[in-house]
């Protein structure tokens, strides 16, 4: 598949909630510990721009987009 | 890379007359020379001043820079470490130990659930303001009571204690009082919080502080946490509400746009945060030698980060000195960046969205009751910028 994949590192996350605020269709915060929860690892096209912005504003670098390998399968 | 280093010898003590919302000219000027300036701390210690957006942001995300109070190298004596629970001035792993149990209590979702309660608190303040009208000091009638009542509910301060508790915190934060009064109010607040923690441990109620007693945090740590929630959450929000209202009144076209379109509210709050950046300067200390823009920040040297100047960086925000409620202000540094980014930001956002909206809906003719030049500003040396009072008036119905 060629959709970019998201990853979230709950060790780095500081629960600031920027992701859940910026891209609520893609990220949530765990109701107990407040840390990031991925709702989609491969966000649908409609939510990709918001997800990218969330990656940009996350204060702790806990979330990342992995582009598919250009020539990969 | 700059060969001739611009230097700033001390933080400016005043803003330019007529520009109450803009960082002092010396800081804007420093940024024009480059993101990094030489600096001398008040105690004569050499340091650095960072005013460019990209550099402030990257230092905040860099674990080679510490927030520890006892490492801050700004005065000629050794500062003590932050007291237990006051994690704003701690590094990992201590910082996380305190912050982690709290984040679940301040999520976007939980703070949205508080919206109705905050609407009620705001409506009560506006009712009282209207009944006593048609004029008021917006600081005492609106900007202070809303965040105070909200923090009282988070900490579970019983109704019977609220009036005296409010008076205390008002005195020790932003009050114009003598040193003795300040220390007395600070001590009284500490004692009150210690009592409150003990009471919550004995008889938990439905509030964040009671929930936190169900963790491995000691009473002393919980008192420190309560104090930091109070100190970080009250004065900041109060000044955003009052200075924000002043800024809206001084930008009538923006205010009219906001009035006409409730959908603009969330973006307007982000832009006011960027434009005003009331929490304007913080410090970080290099743990090892760090290269920045061709200069070496030596281990043990403290850098001053100017969040408000960075938020006016034209390389990041087009036309930065214009309040433009429709702009995309996300990414501003008003809540900082990195592991210390504001824990209470989602709460502060809900408070501001609700309060600004309700205020402008309630008083369509709201205006300053004195000429803008007579509005009394806080001194630039205050940690949090704002107005001392904001006399407003409106046409009674
Ligand atoms: C508009 C209002 C507010 C502003 C502008 C603001 C700003 C900030 C800033 C800039 C920092 C980071 C300082 C640094 O970089 O070292 C911070 C941290 C913090 N804020 Fe806020 N704040 C606001 C409201 C609140 C509220 C309502 C609360 C809680 C009730 C709160 C609690 C905290 C705490 C606990 C920290 C320390 C976080 C840490 O060190 O991990 N703040 N705030
Ligand atoms: S924005 Fe980053 S730090 Fe904040 S909750 Fe999301 S992943 Fe965690």
């Amino acid at each position: 598949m060629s959709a970019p994949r998201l990853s979230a590192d709950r060790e780095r996350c500081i629960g600031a909630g920027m992701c859940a605020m910026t891209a609520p269709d893609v990220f949530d915060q765990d109701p107990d510990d407040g840390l990031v929860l991925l709702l989609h690892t491969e966000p649908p096209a409609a939510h990709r721009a918001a997800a990218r912005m969330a990656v940009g504003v996350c204060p702790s670098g806990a979330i990342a987009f992995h582009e598919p390998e250009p020539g990969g399968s | 890379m700059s060969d001739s280093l611009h230097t700033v010898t001390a933080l400016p003590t005043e803003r330019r007359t007529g520009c109450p919302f803009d960082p002092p000219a010396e800081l804007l000027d420093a940024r024009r020379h480059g993101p990094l300036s030489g600096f001398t701390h008040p105690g004569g210690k050499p340091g650095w001043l960072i005013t460019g957006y990209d550099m402030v942001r990257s230092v905040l995300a860099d674990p080679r820079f510490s927030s520890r109070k006892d490492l801050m190298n700004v005065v000629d004596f050794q500062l003590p470490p932050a007291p237990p629970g006051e994690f704003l001035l701690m590094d990992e792993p201590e910082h996380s130990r305190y912050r982690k149990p709290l984040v679940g209590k301040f999520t976007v979702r939980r703070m949205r659930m508080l919206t109705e309660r905050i609407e009620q608190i705001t409506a009560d303040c506006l009712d009282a303001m209207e009944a006593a009208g048609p004029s008021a000091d917006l600081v005492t009638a609106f900007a202070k009571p809303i965040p105070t009542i909200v923090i009282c509910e988070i900490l579970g301060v019983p109704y019977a204690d609220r009036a005296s508790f409010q008076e205390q915190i008002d005195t020790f934060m932003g009050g114009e009082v003598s040193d003795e009064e300040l220390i007395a109010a600070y001590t009284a607040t500490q004692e009150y919080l210690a009592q409150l923690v003990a009471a919550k441990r004995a008889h938990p109620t439905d509030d964040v502080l009671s929930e936190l007693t169900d963790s491995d945090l000691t009473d002393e740590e919980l008192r420190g946490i309560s104090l930091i929630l109070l100190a970080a959450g009250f004065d900041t929000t109060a000044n955003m509400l009052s200075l924000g209202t002043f800024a809206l009144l001084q930008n009538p076209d923006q205010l009219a746009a906001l009035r006409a379109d409730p959908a603009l509210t969330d973006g307007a709050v982000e832009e006011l945060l960027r434009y005003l950046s009331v929490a304007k300067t913080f410090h970080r200390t290099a743990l090892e030698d760090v290269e920045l823009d061709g200069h070496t920040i030596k281990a043990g040297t403290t850098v001053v980060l100017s969040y408000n100047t960075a938020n006016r960086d034209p390389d990041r925000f087009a036309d930065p000195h214009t309040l433009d409620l429709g702009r995309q202000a996300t990414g501003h540094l008003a809540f900082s960046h990195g592991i210390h980014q504001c824990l209470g930001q989602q709460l502060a956002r809900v408070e501001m969205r609700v309060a600004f909206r309700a205020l402008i809906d309630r008083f369509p003719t709201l205006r300053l009751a004195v000429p803008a030049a007579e509005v009394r500003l806080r001194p630039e040396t205050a940690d949090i910028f704002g107005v001392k009072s904001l006399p407003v008036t409106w046409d009674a119905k």
Side-chain angles (χ1 to χ4, degrees), chain B residues 88 95 99 151 232-233 236 240 282 284 307 334-336 340 342 344:
Chain B
L88 175 73
H95 167 262
R99 179 159 174 144
I151 205 76
T236 44
M240 272 303 301
F282 286 87
R284 295 291 187 270
Y307 297 178
F335 288 127
S336 187
H340 291 278
C342 183

Side-chain angles (χ1 to χ4, degrees), chain B residues 60 67 87-88 95 99 106 151 228-229 232-233 236-237 240 273 278-279 282 284 307 333-336 339-345 347-348 351-352:
Chain B
L60 287 171
S67 283
F87 56 97
L88 175 73
H95 167 262
R99 179 159 174 144
F106 287 89
I151 205 76
I228 197 182
L229 289 177
T236 44
T237 313
M240 272 303 301
L273 282 161
V278 295
F282 286 87
R284 295 291 187 270
Y307 297 178
L333 298 169
F335 288 127
S336 187
I339 63 166
H340 291 278
Q341 193 184 60
C342 183
L343 172 82
Q345 58 180 294
L347 173 60
E351 291 184 59
M352 288 184 282

Side-chain angles (χ1 to χ4, degrees), chain B residues 126 255 258-262 265 353-366 397:
Chain B
L126 292 175
L255 177 56
L258 180 60
R259 242 190 245 290
D261 183 6
T265 311
R353 288 168 184 173
V354 167
F356 282 128
R357 186 83 247 157
L359 177 72
I360 65 174
D361 285 354
R362 176 76 69 106
F363 300 110
T365 55
L366 190 74
K397 278 185 200 134

Side-chain angles (χ1 to χ4, degrees), chain B residues 278-290:
Chain B
V278 295
K280 53 197 165 52
T281 20
F282 286 87
H283 294 85
R284 295 291 187 270
T285 304
L287 294 169
E288 52 185 87
D289 287 3
V290 180

Side-chain angles (χ1 to χ4, degrees), chain B residues 244-256:
Chain B
T245 304
F246 186 20
L248 288 171
L249 293 174
Q250 290 302 93
N251 288 269
D253 51 329
Q254 295 294 308
L255 177 56

Side-chain angles (χ1 to χ4, degrees), chain B residues 181-192:
Chain B
E181 283 173 289
L182 194 98
I183 293 168
Y186 179 77
T187 314
T189 306
Q190 289 277 34
E191 280 164 11
Y192 181 76

